[in-house]
Amino acid sequence: GVGHHIRYAAYGGKVKELCRGLKCQPCWPTWPCKSYAKCLEFAADEIVQAANDMLGQLERKILIVAKGFAEGEGGAEKSIAAITRRLPWKVELVPVADLPKQTERAEVAVVSSNCARGYLPPANYRIQYIQDVRFACREWHKWDAIIGNSEWTAQWAKDHGCTLPVYVQRPVIERIVLPERKPEYVFFAKRAPEKGEALLYALAKAMPDVKFKTVDYETKRPRVEGNVLVIPYERDMVRLWQDVAASVNVCFPSNEPCPWTETYCRAAAESLGLGIPAVVNSQGNLPNFAKWCPEGTVLVEKGEWDGDLSLWKKAIEKAMQLRFEPWADAWSEDVSGYAGAIERGLQCLKR
């Protein structure tokens, strides 16, 4: 309640003044007084406002929980690091490994989906930031709000029974500036089953006159496998794209049928932002790039690869001919979705 002795002790004369206005005596020290219900009914908002006016905005304890925050990590970690730098509040970054050490209760905690099924931080308002639907916690009653990393992810949450407030926060990708490109290779963003590895080698075999390039997270040195150049992963994404994009003709992200679903696809956004055509299929968020940047995207109307390479070969050949202005929205620094969810939490707690 707002009229009891704890509030009165904290806010002193202001509460007494409000109580007099209601023609009753202050609650202290004989709480509860007979007109307590009247105080709750009429004075609650005034007392809370008076307290804020007197004490000012208290420093908020906001936790951001993720797998990691290092700039050299994967795309999800990079995005969170970029978002948190742009928030208007002081926040505490907590790697998931350190989460059990958190004993002090936070006002608001934002937990990335790849950490959401484990131990949850003590907090008055919990938000789940969904970047990977495979690990998202669908026990919606444990949360107060949801942030999706794309419009597709936000709709996925609603389709799976989420009735909470849902915000959209696309990844924040910092601008990359490259020297002049010399298109030469068809590029696959990652040599892995979930990123289209089987399709890569099938296409390379079917198109022997085309050079392919891919990134291997395990290799230490570049190597050539037929007409496929495999290069090591570079944690500095600017340096990676400088090496790749100077000789890339097509960016070909995640087209392998597997449990992985692209909820946004940073590789597609970065390539289009650099003026590199992207070939995408109809899985997850990928078709949205054909809407956002139709002049630079070739959409294969198929959710999975069934062994038929004809559509993919035609898509690559079409993409090789594309010339377009780089997609400026790839480098958006807007964090209104992420900040909006936190602001809602703070306002709810204030009320």
Side-chain angles (χ1 to χ4, degrees):
V2 294
H4 61 63
H5 61 284
I6 296 176
R7 286 288 183 180
Y8 176 71
Y11 305 135
K14 197 68 177 178
V15 175
K16 184 183 291 187
E17 180 183 330
L18 289 166
C19 288
R20 283 191 184 131
L22 292 169
K23 298 181 180 179
C24 67
Q25 293 301 311
C27 297
W28 176 265
T30 58
W31 174 85
C33 66
K34 293 180 181 179
S35 56
Y36 178 56
K38 188 177 181 183
C39 179
L40 276 179
E41 184 178 354
F42 295 105
D45 289 341
E46 290 185 74
I47 293 176
V48 170
Q49 185 59 51
N52 286 336
D53 291 343
M54 290 169 63
L55 303 177
Q57 182 70 24
L58 297 175
E59 183 173 334
R60 305 295 196 177
K61 184 172 178 60
I62 302 172
L63 296 183
I64 309 294
V65 181
K67 187 177 178 182
F69 301 94
E71 287 296 327
E73 299 294 339
E77 289 75 22
K78 281 179 171 294
S79 180
I80 293 176
I83 289 171
T84 53
R85 285 201 301 272
R86 291 165 172 80
L87 292 176
W89 309 278
K90 181 181 179 181
V91 298
E92 184 176 345
L93 306 180
V94 182
V96 67
D98 295 339
L99 190 55
K101 302 175 186 176
Q102 290 291 319
T103 56
E104 184 181 351
R105 194 170 190 85
E107 290 196 68
V108 176
V110 186
V111 183
S112 292
S113 56
N114 56 2
C115 313
R117 291 185 183 177
Y119 175 80
L120 295 179
N124 295 325
Y125 195 93
R126 290 197 187 109
I127 304 167
Q128 182 180 179
Y129 181 33
I130 302 179
Q131 296 170 284
D132 190 333
V133 296
R134 296 176 302 169
F135 304 117
C137 176
R138 294 195 221 172
E139 296 178 85
W140 306 117
H141 64 278
K142 293 182 177 180
W143 308 93
D144 298 288
I146 300 296
I147 305 173
N149 69 338
S150 68
E151 290 80 354
W152 182 90
T153 309
Q155 188 60 50
W156 175 91
K158 295 175 184 177
D159 292 343
H160 286 80
C162 179
T163 57
L164 302 169
V166 180
Y167 295 79
V168 174
Q169 177 61 63
R170 295 185 193 174
V172 171
I173 306 175
E174 296 178 339
R175 184 178 296 275
I176 299 171
V177 179
L178 297 178
E180 184 179 354
R181 291 195 307 116
K182 297 179 181 179
E184 186 179 354
Y185 291 91
V186 173
F187 177 57
F188 274 68
K190 182 179 179 182
R191 184 177 178 269
E194 70 271 16
K195 296 290 186 176
E197 181 180 11
L199 182 57
L200 160 65
Y201 285 98
L203 283 168
K205 184 177 180 180
M207 305 173 74
D209 296 331
V210 176
K211 295 180 181 180
F212 291 82
K213 180 183 281 190
T214 189
V215 176
D216 189 337
Y217 279 53
E218 304 299 327
T219 191
K220 300 296 182 183
R221 296 180 179 178
R223 67 178 185 273
V224 176
E225 299 175 356
N227 57 334
V228 179
L229 173 60
V230 181
I231 61 174
Y233 174 64
E234 169 60 66
R235 290 189 178 276
D236 183 339
M237 294 302 290
V238 175
R239 289 179 57 186
L240 175 64
W241 275 110
Q242 283 177 339
D243 175 61
V244 169
S247 57
V248 161
N249 187 267
V250 181
C251 177
F252 210 123
S254 302
N255 293 285
E256 171 83 6
C258 65
W260 183 282
T261 299
E262 286 291 357
T263 55
Y264 183 71
C265 191
R266 186 185 183 100
E270 288 178 341
S271 67
L272 292 171
L274 294 169
I276 303 167
V279 178
V280 300
N281 70 355
S282 56
Q283 175 218 61
N285 183 66
L286 293 174
N288 281 329
F289 287 103
K291 300 176 183 177
W292 298 333
C293 185
E295 62 276 11
T297 307
V298 179
L299 175 63
V300 178
E301 296 281 0
K302 222 171 187 181
E304 61 181 39
W305 174 47
D306 56 9
D308 181 8
L309 296 176
S310 59
L311 289 176
W312 310 99
K313 290 171 67 175
K314 290 179 181 177
I316 289 176
E317 291 166 357
K318 180 179 179 180
M320 286 179 172
Q321 306 303 316
L322 294 180
R323 299 292 182 271
F324 64 99
E325 287 296 316
W327 182 45
D329 288 349
W331 316 118
S332 172
E333 297 190 4
D334 176 35
V335 296
S336 59
Y338 204 94
I342 295 175
E343 180 62 32
R344 176 188 172 86
L346 295 174
Q347 290 298 325
C348 286
L349 296 176
K350 179 179 175 181
R351 288 196 295 272

